[in-house]
Structures are given as C-alpha cells and as structure tokens.
Amino acid sequence: MEVSQDFSLASKHSASGLRMTSTELTAYAVISFIVVLWCHYKWNRRHFEKLASKMTGPPAYPIIGAGLEFVGTPQQVMERIIKLYDIYGSEPFKVWMGTSLGVTISKPEDVQIVLNSSKALEKDQFYKFFKNTVGEGLFSAPVHKWRRHRRLITPVFNAKLLDQFFPVFNEKNRILTRNLRKELGKTQPFDLWDYIAPTTLNLICQNAMGYNLDSHSDIGSEFEKAMIKASELDSVRIYKPWLFPNIFFSLFLRLQGQSNVFKTLKKLPLKMINEKKEVFAQKKIIKETSVIYNTEEKKKNLKVFLDTLFELNEAGANFSDNDILDEVVTMMIGGSETSAITLCFSLLLLAIHPDIQSKVYDEIYDVFGDGDQTITTEDTTKLVYLEQVLKETLRLFPVLPVVFRELQDDIKIISGNHVLPKGTTCYIAPLFIHRDCDLYPNPLNFNPENFSQENISKRHKYSFIAFSGGPRGCIGSKYAMLSMKVMMSTFLRNYSVHTSCTFNDIKLKLDLLLRSANGYPVTIQTRDRRPSYKLN
C-alpha cells in the first residue's frame, strides 16, 4: 500500500515538473515565430546572398549594410564613391544599402544589356526619396506612369520646337554677356555659377513655360537656392538607412531647420502654372468665339511645353494638377541645372587649358568671323570641336554620376556570367565608365579628341552615357546640347576665360547631381577677335 502511494506521489511530482507556465509558453511561441520568420526571410533572399557571395565589395553590417562607408559631407561621400571604384575596379561589385543588394555595373556591354532591358525600366526605390524635390515626373516616375507620360510628351521635342527656341537663346545670352562686363578688369576670381545658373533657368522658364524671369529674378534665385538645398537633403537618405522612414526624415528636417524647403521649391513652378493656366483659358475663349484667329497673334504666342500639357489634358490625357507640377519641376531642373553644371565645368576646364580654349575660339571665328550676328540652328552644326569639348566635359563630370535601376526579373550580364536576380538594384555609374582607362587612355586628362569621329568609332556605344541610354534615356539631350553650344560660343566670342586652378584643385560633391564643391572660380578678359591659329 505504501509503495503504491509513493509511486503515485512520484508521478505527480514528475508531471508537475514537465508542466510549463504561461510565460514560458509565450516565450517559446515568440522564439519559434521569430525563427520561422528568419528562415522565411533567408529563404526569400537566398538568390541575393548566393550572388553576393561571388562578388567583392565594401563590408556590410546588419540593417545598415555598407551605410558607414557613406557617412560625411557631400564632398566626402563623393570621394568615397570614387575610392570604391579605385579599390574594386570595373568588374561588377556588391554594395549593400541597408538590406537591399546593389550591384555596380561599369562594363559597357553589361550597361547596354541592363539599360535596354524591359526588365530594368523601373527606377529603384531610392528614387522615392527624391519625390519631395521632383515628384513623379519623367525622371523618377514608376514605369506605368512613365510609359504613358513619355508617349504623350516625346512628340513635343521635335525639330520645329527646337528651332523656335533660338530667338530666346540669343536674347538671354546677350543679357548674360552684358551682365558679365562688371567682372572685366578684376583680378579677383568670380564664380561662373552666379551668372550661368540664372541664365539657364531663365532659358528653360521662357522656352518651356513661356515665363520671363528677367523681371522676377528674386523668385528665380529663391527657387535655385531651394532646389540645391532640397536635392542635397533628399540625397542624404540614399546612403543613411536610418533616415529611410519618413518620420525620421521629417525629424531630421526640423533639426536642420529646413522644414519649409520643399514648399519654397514649389513656389515658382506653381506661380508659372497658375498664370499660364489663366492665359490658356483666355486663349481658348478667344478661339471659340472668333472665326478668324490673328496670324500675328499666333506668332507672338508660340506654343510652349506647358501649353502642350494643357492641350493634352483637353484631349483626354488626364494629367492631375500634381502630374503637371511634377513634370514642370522635372523640366526646370533637367533643363537648367544640368546644363548650368556642364557649362561651368566646361568653361573652367577651358580656363585651365588655354591651348584648347584657343582651338575652340578658332572654330567659332571660322563660323562667325568677328561679327555679332545671331546664331542659327545651322551654325550649331558647324561647331564640331565645341561639341567635342562639351562631351569631354560630360565624360569627366557627368551630372548624373550614378543611375539606379531595380530589376523586375532576372537578367544575365556578360561579366562573370552573373545572373542578377529579380529585386537587385543595378548601380550604373557613368562616372566609373567614363574614367575606365581601357576605354579612354589617360582618363583624367581633359582631351576633346576623345570625341573625334575616329575615336568614337573605336569604342562601344555605351562607353559614353552622360544622357543615360535605352528607352529611359534623357528626353531633352538635343535641347541641352543646342542651348550649351549657343551659350559657350556666345561667351567665348566676347570673353576669354582664365583661372589659377588646376584640374587637381577641382573637388566634387554629390546631391541629386554632381557638382564642384568649391565653385567655378575664373576671371575674364575682353576677347581679341582674331583667330590665334587656323584649324587644320
């Protein structure tokens, strides 16, 4: 009997020992759930990690990835990006940005595959960080919106439209020439940006929006300053994963005292849109109530980009107010800022290389002589060497040094026979491609002969992608080249440009675009309008 009781007691104690408390059950359930989630996460990322294991790249850490590589000022970030290329070369290498795998593509053959693939038309998630600045215009729009807008807007950029820009080109460049006179005779250098940037902004506002900034310089200057600050703030998020969440970025803006910068950026675009909308409505009434529409009135009121957007809406394009605003801001930045940067770099490089400047001037003299006639479309086609100078500037200092594309399906590239899995971000770096010594001998030398027809024919088509490439290439590349040729030739017909800087003094910084960290310091002298030596 006692034995039986003892056995019963032992059994009870054993059972109670196996029994778990509710706290223990909850803990085991949570741990099991985390393990399952982790296994699911790792399984879904197995393709990325398999690819990453085959590539070199900067060290990555949990959550932030390689974010520590890009801590610092915009200038320091740019220096580190260049250093990565020095370390890892032109072969594809990995860069973990947060938990996203990026692969840097620098071989022209691989770049062609990616930029022309229908699987790589989507801009990467990082472009959402620039929505504060450019919204969802052609530059940053998701594919479904980009396809529709590009199809509607592309016909606008035709030869007839570009021809109508020349009176504005000539007028604004005469004003630029006049404004520069105040710098004559000074030994202290001035920053080219202070003159070039307002001119290119005025050009795009008048040519694309029908809005003359000459009498509204204050609001133009306000837009320019806000644009630089806004793009700098937005770009910080790309390489600082702790700013990815909007709530943290908003807090960052408050701490920086920049909460209103994006609102300030939109003031000028909204003003132009609202004024043009009123004019468009009045024209519509006149057309509807008048059988004969005055031909001279038509000539005075040439159709501009903003008119076309309103007309497309009338025809059923269904652009929302935000769509129009986004396209206008994109056009303003793409049509002014990129050209201003290239022009400033180009003039600075010519100041550093007076022999090349003399050669450019000789070509200009051959086309125009010592007269002051206005420039025509036909004239720009004769400025062949000047175009080589502009392209060489864009080779050394591409305004978009890195392009981000997110793959919507697997793509196989030639280098290493790597298969880049769906979801990979491709970092296509014009800055790296353009400085590849296998493509450009002595790549850090400023040599416009790199773009002679003979040398171009020796290189892969995608060895120069200053305007990107493929279906999402720059829609305004022809406008940019024409406007830059007119400004450069007008500037150099009137002034020679000089500097004490050397190429090595040029330090770069990165926000939305690539810029000189120390400005573009030069002096100018009145041009002696005689050729220095004749071109061969």
Side-chain angles (χ1 to χ4, degrees):
M1 196 64 180
E2 290 181 1
V3 173
S4 176
Q5 287 178 344
D6 289 342
F7 180 77
S8 177
L9 286 170
S11 297
K12 286 180 180 179
H13 284 302
S14 177
S16 65
L18 291 171
R19 192 180 299 127
M20 290 186 290
T21 66
S22 59
T23 302
E24 289 173 325
L25 279 170
T26 302
Y28 281 125
V30 169
I31 291 169
S32 299
F33 181 67
I34 292 173
V35 169
V36 170
L37 278 182
W38 177 251
C39 291
H40 183 262
Y41 173 77
K42 295 293 283 184
W43 176 256
N44 286 339
R45 294 172 60 80
R46 67 192 186 282
H47 300 303
F48 300 125
E49 294 187 358
K50 182 180 178 181
L51 174 64
S53 68
K54 299 176 183 177
M55 292 183 172
T56 58
Y61 304 95
I63 301 177
I64 64 170
L68 293 178
E69 292 284 326
F70 307 104
V71 174
T73 65
Q75 181 179 337
Q76 290 169 332
V77 169
M78 194 65 246
E79 288 170 356
R80 288 192 176 103
I81 289 173
I82 293 172
K83 187 177 179 181
L84 285 179
Y85 180 67
D86 292 337
I87 294 171
Y88 299 107
S90 59
E91 291 299 321
F93 62 88
K94 64 185 176 186
V95 180
W96 288 98
M97 295 302 288
T99 57
S100 299
L101 175 63
V103 176
T104 298
I105 306 292
S106 300
K107 294 285 187 182
E109 298 81 4
D110 297 331
V111 171
Q112 183 175 24
I113 290 170
V114 174
L115 289 183
N116 283 283
S117 174
S118 60
K119 305 170 186 176
L121 291 175
E122 192 70 74
K123 293 295 182 81
D124 184 74
Q125 60 176 334
F126 293 126
Y127 281 81
K128 71 183 180 184
F129 298 148
F130 292 110
K131 286 184 181 179
N132 293 316
T133 303
V134 295
E136 289 189 345
L138 288 178
F139 169 71
S140 56
V143 170
H144 69 278
K145 180 181 281 191
W146 166 79
R147 286 186 194 279
R148 187 169 69 88
H149 286 202
R150 178 86 181 216
R151 176 174 51 82
L152 292 167
I153 292 172
T154 295
V156 176
F157 288 85
N158 54 55
K160 184 178 179 182
L161 181 73
L162 294 174
D163 280 342
Q164 87 173 32
F165 292 155
F166 272 77
V168 179
F169 286 160
N170 284 301
E171 177 195 350
K172 301 306 178 190
N173 279 291
R174 277 195 296 269
I175 294 171
L176 171 65
T177 302
R178 187 167 65 242
N179 290 341
L180 283 165
R181 287 175 190 162
K182 67 183 73 166
E183 301 296 341
L184 283 171
K186 294 183 180 180
T187 55
Q188 195 69 20
F190 67 94
D191 192 341
L192 281 164
W193 183 261
D194 296 336
Y195 293 89
I196 301 295
T199 304
T200 56
L201 180 60
N202 204 341
L203 280 169
I204 197 65
C205 285
Q206 180 124 18
N207 280 328
M209 318 303 165
Y211 190 87
N212 191 341
L213 271 179
D214 286 339
S215 55
H216 304 83
S217 58
D218 289 344
I219 193 171
S221 176
E222 184 181 53
F223 171 84
E224 177 64 37
K225 290 175 183 175
M227 198 284 303
I228 292 174
K229 177 54 68 174
S231 57
E232 182 180 309
L233 290 168
D234 273 347
S235 65
V236 163
R237 298 179 77 182
I238 291 180
Y239 40 83
K240 293 186 177 178
W242 49 93
L243 294 178
F244 284 5
N246 288 332
I247 188 170
F248 292 151
F249 185 60
S250 296
L251 179 61
F252 171 75
L253 290 178
R254 288 195 191 97
L255 293 173
Q256 294 286 316
Q258 300 292 343
S259 297
N260 293 323
V261 68
F262 299 108
K263 185 178 179 181
T264 303
L265 177 70
K266 301 298 193 297
K267 281 174 63 176
L268 175 59
L270 284 170
K271 180 178 173 63
M272 291 191 297
I273 290 169
N274 291 332
E275 290 187 12
K276 197 67 179 176
K277 192 179 288 185
E278 289 181 14
V279 172
F280 183 80
Q282 291 170 3
K283 284 183 181 178
K284 186 181 174 185
I285 293 171
I286 292 171
K287 285 183 180 180
E288 289 174 350
T289 57
S290 178
V291 178
I292 302 173
Y293 187 51
N294 190 286
T295 304
E296 288 302 314
E297 192 66 23
K298 279 186 178 179
K299 287 181 180 177
K300 278 196 290 183
N301 297 289
L302 294 171
K303 188 193 299 184
V304 295
F305 174 73
L306 201 45
D307 289 323
T308 303
L309 290 183
F310 293 145
E311 287 182 3
L312 288 170
N313 246 6
E314 289 284 319
N318 295 320
F319 288 128
S320 67
D321 288 345
N322 282 336
D323 288 339
I324 292 175
L325 176 61
D326 292 347
E327 294 300 352
V328 166
V329 173
T330 297
M331 183 66 67
M332 289 174 69
I333 294 174
S336 68
E337 207 69 5
T338 56
S339 294
I341 292 169
T342 303
L343 285 161
C344 287
F345 270 127
S346 192
L347 286 166
L348 181 59
L349 287 167
L350 289 181
I352 294 171
H353 299 276
D355 55 329
I356 297 176
Q357 182 179 170
S358 293
K359 194 170 180 180
V360 172
Y361 177 69
D362 284 343
E363 180 182 69
I364 293 170
Y365 187 90
D366 281 350
V367 174
F368 301 107
D370 56 6
D372 287 312
Q373 70 268 32
T374 56
I375 302 173
T376 65
T377 310
E378 184 182 356
D379 292 330
T380 61
T381 63
K382 300 173 186 175
L383 298 172
V384 177
Y385 190 69
L386 176 57
E387 183 169 324
Q388 290 176 214
V389 166
L390 289 167
K391 286 182 176 178
E392 177 69 353
T393 303
L394 284 164
R395 179 186 73 79
L396 286 166
F397 306 112
V399 287
L400 277 176
V402 184
V403 175
F404 301 85
R405 293 291 178 87
E406 182 181 307
L407 302 187
Q408 303 304 296
D409 207 339
D410 296 356
I411 288 181
K412 185 175 183 179
I413 58 175
I414 295 171
S415 297
N417 281 321
H418 292 303
V419 175
L420 309 182
K422 176 182 177 181
T424 302
T425 297
C426 288
Y427 302 145
I428 299 169
L431 187 68
F432 294 172
I433 298 164
H434 295 176
R435 297 185 178 205
D436 188 335
C437 59
D438 291 332
L439 300 171
Y440 299 94
N442 302 312
L444 294 183
N445 285 357
F446 178 60
N447 179 19
E449 290 303 324
N450 280 321
F451 291 91
S452 68
Q453 284 303 314
E454 180 184 357
N455 286 326
I456 289 174
S457 66
K458 296 174 183 177
R459 291 192 302 267
H460 192 284
K461 179 182 178 182
Y462 280 75
S463 61
F464 179 71
I465 54 168
F467 297 105
S468 189
R472 291 202 77 160
C474 177
I475 195 172
S477 57
K478 288 183 179 178
Y479 172 88
M481 194 55 70
L482 282 175
S483 67
M484 289 192 295
K485 279 186 173 183
V486 174
M487 189 176 294
M488 285 283 286
S489 57
T490 304
F491 190 111
L492 294 171
R493 282 167 79 184
N494 290 278
Y495 305 111
S496 59
V497 58
H498 310 269
T499 188
S500 60
C501 289
T502 66
F503 185 88
N504 291 331
D505 292 328
I506 300 175
K507 304 301 178 186
L508 303 176
K509 66 177 182 179
L510 179 63
D511 46 55
L512 176 61
L513 304 172
L514 183 71
R515 305 174 188 274
S516 168
N518 301 318
Y520 312 87
V522 300
T523 58
I524 57 172
Q525 296 176 13
T526 301
R527 172 71 67 181
D528 180 8
R529 294 200 177 188
R530 290 174 296 175
S532 55
Y533 57 86
K534 298 300 292 179
L535 295 174
N536 293 326

